[in-house]
Amino acid sequence: MGRLAILGALHEEIADLLAAMDPGAAVHRIAMRDFHVGTLWGTPCVIALSRIGKVAAAATASIVIREFQVSRVIFTGLAGGLHEAVDVGDVVIASTLMQHDMDARPLFGQHEIPLLGRACFESDAALSRLLQDSAQDFLRAGGMADGARANARVHAGLIATGDVFVNRVDEAQVLRKRLPDALCVEMEGAAMAQICYEFDIPFAVMRVVSDRADHAAKADFTAFLENVARVYTAGILAPLLKS
Ligand code: ADE
């Protein structure tokens, strides 16, 4: 199957994965990032902290593909809920991703990636299904830490990515109106997706909703990151990699 890359934008989002890697993992430092190469729950992996934003995600995805010959990439982390059905503590698995801040009009259509002829990138259906099922099992088993909703749900659909931390109701409303199908907003997924598309590498994106992209987003995001994020990531990925 080849090596799996697991990427996250913040340390807390991948901390439990790094701690769970089998002894003997090698650390390669490239472009100011550490790439942890080894096995995680029996699966050959490279795990890396991308840092926040589209450029950081694209650079990190390019490196894992070119330097570590990965055959699949998973991006994991937090997101702000946009859709009314998506609440804090829910999990969103991307079926499609797009860059909500890409706008080269009038040269190209709104959101279209110039010279690529597309705005949306489809995630790998099989890998996304596995994540969805595992997230469902995790929530059903009551695996979430304190602070997550007891009736949290798993959603699959469109994720909107941009170099903006959305923390104002009016900003979130603009996105909801422009992209009514978008389930959540984050800052890396569609950039990684574009790179995987260009290299023809299957990918998936898993997001835990930490906030509602409103005035409380900063506080909600920070509390979620400190207390809950790591539990979800490891709790959802462990059964999938062990199987
Ligand atoms: N990631 C988590 N919450 C977010 C938000 N409100 N905007 C952008 N990215 C996020």
Side-chain angles (χ1 to χ4, degrees), residues 135-154:
Q136 200 72 259
D137 291 347
F138 174 73
L139 291 182
R140 216 176 277 137
M144 55 280 207
D146 293 344
R149 263 173 46 243
N151 56 346
R153 296 173 56 199
V154 181

Side-chain angles (χ1 to χ4, degrees), residues 20-41:
M21 280 188 98
D22 296 330
V27 182
H28 300 256
R29 193 155 176 83
I30 303 172
M32 300 167 72
R33 291 171 179 82
D34 286 338
F35 293 83
H36 302 258
V37 183
T39 52
L40 176 64
W41 298 306

Side-chain angles (χ1 to χ4, degrees), residues 78-81 162 164-167 185-187 207-208 210-214 217 221:
L78 304 182
V164 192
F165 185 79
V166 183
N167 66 345
V185 62
E186 40 85 307
M187 301 178 69
R207 292 289 181 175
V208 183
S210 56
D211 58 81
R212 283 285 303 166
D214 55 15
F221 174 86

Side-chain angles (χ1 to χ4, degrees), residues 123-147:
S123 61
D124 183 71
L127 189 56
S128 301
R129 184 80 241 172
L130 288 173
L131 282 171
Q132 215 179 313
D133 291 347
S134 190
Q136 200 72 259
D137 291 347
F138 174 73
L139 291 182
R140 216 176 277 137
M144 55 280 207
D146 293 344

Side-chain angles (χ1 to χ4, degrees), residues 2-198:
R3 194 182 271 145
L4 168 70
I6 305 175
L7 310 180
L10 287 165
H11 179 67
E12 290 84 345
E13 294 169 330
I14 56 166
D16 279 17
L17 303 181
L18 290 178
M21 280 188 98
D22 296 330
V27 182
H28 300 256
R29 193 155 176 83
I30 303 172
M32 300 167 72
R33 291 171 179 82
D34 286 338
F35 293 83
H36 302 258
V37 183
T39 52
L40 176 64
W41 298 306
T43 298
C45 277
V46 51
I47 303 177
L49 178 71
S50 70
R51 301 199 296 269
I52 295 176
K54 286 165 47 186
V55 172
T60 311
S62 303
I63 293 168
V64 289
I65 293 168
R66 292 294 291 183
E67 298 284 331
F68 301 106
Q69 292 81 40
V70 300
S71 61
R72 298 162 295 163
V73 182
I74 293 176
F75 206 105
T76 180
L78 304 182
L82 277 184
H83 199 279
E84 61 181 1
V86 176
D87 213 342
V88 173
D90 287 0
V91 176
V92 176
I93 309 296
S95 57
T96 311
L97 299 105
M98 46 107 46
Q99 297 172 26
H100 68 75
D101 57 352
M102 174 57 77
D103 192 351
R105 289 177 298 174
L107 303 177
F108 299 91
Q110 188 176 20
H111 304 137
E112 183 180 337
I113 307 299
L115 307 182
L116 218 51
R118 60 168 56 231
C120 291
F121 299 96
E122 266 89 58
S123 61
D124 183 71
L127 189 56
S128 301
R129 184 80 241 172
L130 288 173
L131 282 171
Q132 215 179 313
D133 291 347
S134 190
Q136 200 72 259
D137 291 347
F138 174 73
L139 291 182
R140 216 176 277 137
M144 55 280 207
D146 293 344
R149 263 173 46 243
N151 56 346
R153 296 173 56 199
V154 181
H155 310 264
L158 174 65
I159 292 183
T161 302
D163 278 324
V164 192
F165 185 79
V166 183
N167 66 345
R168 286 204 337 245
V169 174
D170 57 336
E171 254 182 301
Q173 278 302 99
V174 168
L175 286 178
R176 283 189 191 105
K177 214 164 161 193
R178 183 148 40 90
L179 302 168
D181 294 337
L183 297 175
C184 64
V185 62
E186 40 85 307
M187 301 178 69
E188 297 83 21
M192 180 276 298
Q194 179 180 337
I195 296 300
C196 288
Y197 170 79
E198 292 177 1

